[in-house]
Amino acid sequence: MRAMKPPRPRHLLRLAALVAAMAALALLVLDGARQAGLARLDADLQNRLTLTRHAVTAQIERYRYLPALIGQDARILSLLDRPGDDRSAANAYLKATRALSGVDQIYVLDPQGRALAASNAGEPGSFVGQDYAFRPYFRQALARGAARYYAVGVTTGIPGYFLASRIGPAEAPLGVAVAKVDMGGLQATWASADHSVALADAAGVVFLAGQPDWLFRPLDPLDDATARQLDGEQRYAGQAVPTAAPLRAALTGLRL
């Protein structure tokens, strides 16, 4: 038998080049598949965010009319004109409006920020007599006519979205009407579906989340000025937000 000749150097170089080309092609295919997969994932995440935004907006907007409507009622105007008179008619009206509308609570503040009447008058944790002048929604409603604000209730400890409307003209305001919207049902839906979705305020603090351990955590570390502002507004009273671990750094490895 004739002995086989060893491969020539030129053949070895060609074989090595072919192997390298196939490896490079495989890497390109894998990278292309990875990028396509990430693009599909990003599109799915964006669709989920769009649906979430619509759900949040719908929950709030269904009550947007309420504070302005309350401010036109004769019983409320009479109370603001004569705050020392009997408040039972105003309280009964607010209680009935709460039951019919499905809003969490409704109350009316005088020009100094003190609650004169409320839908929970006579109940534990009643707002009547409480001072809410420190809340931004009160100051902004007086100045601009309307305001929105999310916070933990300082009287009840229950979070809510506050819609406020000035009663009377800017130059001589009579008071402010406030509707508190409970967002807990929306959060419960996310949690039951195990959705990894959250809503953060302008300061970057998560106040609604499908994952309980995301709640009341900043997305990024808070600066001192923001921490002082949150404390002064008592936005998240009872929650150690400034010292909570930032959420974005804790979610390494996840697609956000």
Side-chain angles (χ1 to χ4, degrees), residues 120-132:
N120 63 354
E123 301 174 10
S126 171
F127 298 161
V128 176
Q130 299 294 329
D131 186 353
Y132 297 106

Side-chain angles (χ1 to χ4, degrees), residues 177-242:
V178 185
K180 181 182 179 184
V181 181
D182 182 8
M183 308 290 285
L186 191 59
Q187 181 169 268
T189 299
W190 297 346
S192 63
D194 197 28
H195 282 178
S196 296
V197 62
L199 189 63
D201 65 12
V205 177
V206 172
F207 61 85
L208 281 181
Q211 304 297 326
D213 60 334
W214 290 12
L215 268 177
F216 304 120
R217 293 173 63 179
L219 294 176
D220 300 296
L222 298 177
D223 57 48
D224 292 341
T226 302
R228 286 194 299 270
Q229 178 186 355
L230 295 180
D231 183 61
E233 297 174 0
Q234 299 185 50
R235 188 181 305 181
Y236 300 113
Q239 308 294 330
V241 171

Side-chain angles (χ1 to χ4, degrees), residues 72-97:
Q72 298 177 25
D73 186 82
R75 287 156 290 194
I76 300 303
L77 293 173
S78 177
L79 174 64
L80 292 172
D81 185 48
R82 295 182 297 277
D85 287 0
D86 180 40
R87 305 177 183 185
S88 58
N91 287 328
Y93 164 68
L94 295 179
K95 188 170 298 217
T97 304

Side-chain angles (χ1 to χ4, degrees), residues 102-117:
V103 74
D104 186 36
Q105 298 292 349
I106 317 167
Y107 50 108
V108 175
L109 310 177
D110 67 15
Q112 287 72 48
R114 187 167 297 278
L116 296 179

